[in-house]
Amino acid sequence: ANPINLLALNCSSLYCICERSPISVLCVLPDLREIVFVIQSQSNSFHVRQAERRRADLLKQAHSLTEKPPVVLLLHSLSDNEGDWSILPLLPYNLALELTSCPVLPIHQEWFLGKPLHDEESTIIHHYAFAENPSIFKYPDFAAAWAVSAPLVVRLADKVRNEPLKSDFTIDLKHEVALYIWDNGNGPHLTAVPELCTEPEDSPQTQHCATTLSTEPPPCGEPVNKEDIFVAVKTCRKFHSERVPVIKKTWEKDAFSLEYYSDHADPSIPTIDLGVPNTERGHCGKTFAILQRFLSSSVPNTKWLLVVDDDTLISLSRLQVLLSCYNPSEPVCLGERYGYGLSQGGYSYITGGGGMVFSREAVVRLLNSGCKCYSNDAPDDMVLGMCLNALGLPVTHSPLFHQARPEDYARDFLAHQVPISFHKHWNIDPIAVFNKWLKDDLRAEASDGLNKSAKTEL
């Protein structure tokens, strides 16, 4: 299941942010009241349970050290603004208020600490930043934890309060937070801290580590049956001979129910023409036609709908494992979460290329709401995000879905993942990428120790 982020606000010197626990409070200052932990929880019931377990674990550790435990907050309960997962909009309000309850010491230096990641090449998910030398800019691996000093947080809160955030889109939060802190060279660079680790907690190499990765998978039960997932592939006539064969050679065989939707009915694949003309971008009309077909008698009655592009590479067996953590009777909308205009009351959305997963209940509520496309070529993922926001239905994030290619992500970031999907065939051999990153079946390899390694993000 998704890792839980732990955000610890230390009023004397450090704000420590951790993504995958356990985190040892032995590493922090003796007076734990100087720290406010904020667990970056999500409002989906599974994530709430995970966050509550993490809070209990932190308080248990704290109780063994002191009679005066720290405050541990759950992010999803701090605000009604669903977009506050992006952290920065929340700084001037809920999080900054917590400073007033802590004994602030006279620490004046601004620090930004973490386990550094860097790009090997300029990438679209970072807007091709630092194109001449991508590796020069370091940003924190949230899986290891990251920390900022209290003076820096106070200054950032004032800046957010007085200067509207400039970026409309939130794509890779860890990179964007680092850019905001760096502030074109006016703010601190990330300082590497070797005690912030992404090693498995039972590794002998973690004796010096303040943070580690949990090797215990969440208690979610058996993978969902493949019969419970209906797969919808969006394609068009010009890609029938180029992209569809890749799917057939890689992951199609793992689907029990799958249909290809195109602007041309080709019985050799076969594809289904939904009566929506192809568009060069957006594909909103096609996606909403898929949602309507999913609820019709034309396809099997399944609990889950997966919508992918024809250049999406995905592991359906890993998706089956992940979905075991979610209740299909709830309106679940799952994938890689992006944001638009989050600091101005915008909305979150599932970026479509990495795959969009909907429970049947979510599709029912979307269509019953009257939500529809304003044009066939409107961006389907963003329109769906607007509709979900209007309905008050949250987008649930999983970092295991990827909108881009493996080359577009930091090597160390992917090193502790068991990814579910990647997207795009540009300048890669898609079959080779699938075989390297997505081919294995976790259930078959569990006996070989895969689930006991550092790669336990499922």
Side-chain angles (χ1 to χ4, degrees):
N2 286 9
I4 294 178
N5 300 336
L6 298 175
L7 170 59
L9 306 186
N10 180 327
C11 301
S12 59
S13 61
L14 293 179
Y15 290 64
C16 180
I17 306 167
C18 316
E19 189 170 81
R20 263 175 296 293
S21 286
I23 175 174
S24 171
V25 294
L26 290 170
C27 69
V28 299
L29 296 180
D31 190 348
L32 294 179
R33 293 173 301 169
E34 295 175 351
I35 302 173
V36 177
F37 290 90
V38 182
I39 299 177
Q40 289 178 240
S41 54
Q42 302 188 69
S43 58
N44 174 271
S45 62
F46 163 69
H47 293 277
V48 171
R49 292 192 301 272
Q50 288 286 89
E52 289 174 344
R53 278 193 286 267
R54 186 59 59 220
R55 175 165 60 183
D57 176 70
L58 281 170
L59 293 174
K60 181 179 179 181
Q61 290 187 61
H63 181 71
S64 68
L65 299 172
T66 179
E67 294 181 355
K68 299 174 181 178
V71 174
V72 182
L73 305 174
L74 304 186
L75 182 62
H76 79 276
S77 65
L78 294 181
S79 167
D80 293 330
N81 179 16
E82 198 271 334
D84 282 344
W85 60 267
S86 60
I87 298 176
L88 293 176
L90 196 62
L91 283 177
Y93 308 106
N94 302 68
L95 298 186
L97 290 176
E98 295 297 336
L99 290 173
T100 61
S101 65
C102 301
V104 180
L105 300 180
I107 302 298
H108 303 294
Q109 191 167 357
E110 294 187 351
W111 285 100
F112 179 29
L113 312 176
K115 178 181 178 180
L117 298 173
H118 67 271
D119 295 335
E120 301 289 337
E121 57 186 64
S122 60
T123 171
I124 187 172
I125 64 171
H126 297 155
H127 307 288
Y128 298 106
F130 307 96
E132 294 184 358
N133 186 5
S135 64
I136 196 172
F137 184 73
K138 305 300 191 296
Y139 53 99
D141 189 341
F142 281 7
W146 53 289
V148 287
S149 61
L152 176 56
V153 172
V154 171
R155 181 174 66 81
L156 291 176
D158 288 339
K159 182 180 178 182
V160 173
R161 185 182 297 110
N162 298 318
E163 301 176 21
L165 297 170
K166 297 178 181 179
S167 177
D168 289 333
F169 288 92
T170 301
I171 295 176
D172 185 359
L173 183 61
K174 56 188 179 295
H175 190 271
E176 289 156 25
V177 167
L179 277 177
Y180 193 80
I181 292 173
W182 178 64
D183 192 19
N184 291 312
N186 297 314
H189 291 269
L190 181 69
T191 298
V193 177
E195 289 79 11
L196 300 179
C197 308
T198 54
E199 299 294 330
E201 60 183 333
D202 56 0
S203 168
Q205 301 176 2
T206 61
Q207 293 182 359
H208 72 288
C209 293
T211 59
T212 59
L213 299 191
S214 174
T215 56
E216 293 296 326
C220 295
E222 293 297 316
V224 303
N225 295 323
K226 62 170 61 179
E227 294 85 355
D228 290 331
I229 304 173
F230 182 80
V231 184
V233 181
K234 295 182 296 180
T235 187
C236 62
R237 186 172 189 170
K238 67 179 180 179
F239 292 133
H240 286 186
S241 61
E242 177 183 341
R243 295 181 178 178
V244 171
V246 173
I247 298 176
K248 289 186 173 293
K249 292 177 182 177
T250 53
W251 58 267
E252 185 198 73
K253 64 183 181 301
D254 297 321
F256 184 82
S257 300
L258 179 149
E259 289 184 344
Y260 294 91
Y261 299 111
S262 179
D263 56 341
H264 172 71
D266 183 344
S268 68
I269 294 176
T271 60
I272 296 172
D273 184 356
L274 293 172
V276 179
N278 186 55
T279 55
E280 289 300 317
R281 57 187 177 89
H283 313 298
C284 192
K286 183 181 292 182
T287 297
F288 271 76
I290 289 171
L291 297 179
Q292 292 166 351
R293 182 173 174 85
F294 176 69
L295 296 184
S296 74
S297 59
S298 300
V299 300
N301 187 324
T302 60
K303 297 177 181 179
W304 299 99
L305 169 65
L306 168 65
V307 181
V308 297
D309 293 347
D310 53 9
D311 56 351
T312 300
L313 301 170
I314 192 164
S315 169
L316 294 182
S317 62
R318 296 178 188 177
L319 180 61
Q320 290 173 247
V321 176
L322 179 64
L323 289 181
S324 69
C325 294
Y326 297 94
N327 184 351
S329 65
E330 297 177 359
V332 178
C333 307
L334 175 67
E336 183 179 16
R337 178 181 55 195
Y338 282 9
Y340 179 76
L342 295 180
S343 63
Q344 291 89 35
Y347 54 90
S348 305
Y349 63 97
I350 305 169
T351 179
M356 300 184 289
V357 182
F358 304 95
S359 65
R360 177 168 290 271
E361 177 64 18
V363 178
V364 168
R365 294 200 193 185
L366 275 168
L367 295 184
N368 286 348
S369 72
C371 173
K372 59 183 179 180
C373 305
Y374 53 83
S375 66
N376 280 338
D377 66 349
D380 53 352
D381 47 8
M382 297 184 72
V383 171
L384 287 168
M386 286 188 284
C387 295
L388 293 172
N389 185 62
L391 287 168
L393 300 181
V395 167
T396 301
H397 174 66
S398 170
L400 307 181
F401 295 81
H402 301 88
Q403 171 68 15
R405 310 163 303 161
E407 290 86 338
D408 294 310
Y409 300 89
R411 186 179 303 163
D412 286 346
F413 172 69
L414 294 179
H416 51 73
Q417 279 199 352
V418 182
I420 284 178
S421 70
F422 291 103
H423 180 228
K424 296 291 187 187
H425 294 175
W426 182 66
N427 277 358
I428 64 169
D429 178 348
I431 296 177
V433 167
F434 177 85
N435 289 337
K436 177 179 179 179
W437 292 97
L438 302 167
K439 185 176 182 179
D440 56 11
D441 184 328
L442 293 188
R443 293 167 300 169
E445 297 193 12
S447 60
D448 296 330
L450 181 61
N451 284 342
K452 296 181 180 179
S453 73
K455 298 184 175 184
T456 54
E457 288 197 48
L458 285 179

